[in-house]
Amino acid sequence: GGVYLDMDTLVLRDLSPLRRNRGFLGTERVVWPGERKQRIDAYRFAIGPLLSALRWVAARTPGGDRIHLRKARWYPREVNGAIMGFAAAHPFLGFLLGLTAKVPEREWDIPHHLGTFLLQRAVKLYPGADLELLDTECFYPLGPVASTHYFRRQRDLESLSRRVISERTYAVHWYASVTALNRFS
């Protein structure tokens, strides 16, 4: 048990109030949840690409965080494992490990398959009622790609903070993958 934080997170306030939950995971707004990648439907071929294009434009437009925040409800809400916490011996952890052990070796190198997509599936299949799924504003106020606004030069950083961070924001996952920081590794 304990709290797990990816290295690309910034804790803004004490996480102790979250310990009232035996287990917690944050949710984020994404274009492509794992289950959507498997389906052959209008979302995969029309809605998803349009949402992806809107997110791309918003990420590259000064002030595009406003666009993202206004349209966030259009994006599916899914769990992300960048920030999570569990009591010692929480049954979800064993459940997740059991599902992980069943993933065929040929699927191990599929991007996000053993991480985020497996976690999303595990949460949907988990029979317990002892797992709290927190709103996006708790850890992921700007989702993937839109989080590039954290790294832009801002004329009014205070204004961006007021728009993005709420009193319910405990930490911010800033998605290092969207920055050019990886060129330094």
Side-chain angles (χ1 to χ4, degrees):
V3 173
Y4 170 83
L5 303 167
D6 268 7
M7 292 297 289
D8 57 349
T9 58
L10 175 65
V11 176
L12 301 176
R13 63 189 185 112
D14 185 6
L15 300 174
S16 295
L18 298 176
R19 293 177 55 204
R20 75 181 187 289
N21 305 304
R22 286 196 25 84
F24 67 84
L25 289 160
T27 60
E28 64 181 345
R29 296 292 183 162
V30 297
V31 175
W32 299 112
E35 66 182 34
R36 291 291 189 174
K37 289 217 170 242
Q38 309 302 320
R39 295 183 191 167
I40 297 178
D41 61 7
Y43 187 94
R44 184 173 177 191
F45 295 104
I47 298 167
L50 288 171
L51 289 175
S52 186
L54 176 62
R55 183 177 70 173
W56 186 89
V57 168
R60 285 154 182 81
T61 303
D65 61 284
R66 289 182 178 95
I67 296 168
H68 177 76
L69 292 169
R70 277 195 303 270
K71 306 304 181 195
R73 68 185 184 284
W74 294 358
Y75 294 79
R77 185 175 156 238
E78 286 290 347
V79 295
N80 182 314
I83 302 170
M84 56 186 164
F86 296 96
H90 192 284
F92 178 77
L93 297 173
F95 183 78
L96 180 59
L97 285 173
L99 285 178
T100 303
K102 294 177 184 175
V103 175
E105 187 175 351
R106 68 182 179 279
E107 297 178 12
W108 290 357
D109 62 347
I110 299 171
H112 312 293
H113 196 75
L114 275 176
T116 306
F117 294 163
L118 181 65
L119 183 64
Q120 291 169 2
R121 198 169 112 237
V123 166
K124 287 176 178 64
L125 295 173
Y126 181 62
D130 55 355
L131 188 59
E132 183 78 19
L133 301 182
L134 302 173
D135 290 334
T136 59
E137 65 187 337
C138 292
F139 305 135
Y140 310 102
L142 287 180
V145 181
S147 66
T148 58
H149 289 283
Y150 295 141
F151 301 97
R152 291 214 153 148
R153 289 187 186 263
Q154 302 285 335
R155 284 195 305 208
D156 187 0
L157 189 56
E158 189 74 28
S159 178
L160 173 69
S161 296
R162 280 193 307 274
R163 286 192 306 275
V164 174
I165 308 300
S166 78
E167 69 253 1
R168 295 195 59 221
T169 306
Y170 286 90
V172 173
H173 180 236
W174 45 270
Y175 303 91
S177 59
V178 305
T179 71
L181 296 176
N182 59 4
R183 70 177 174 222
F184 298 112
S185 57

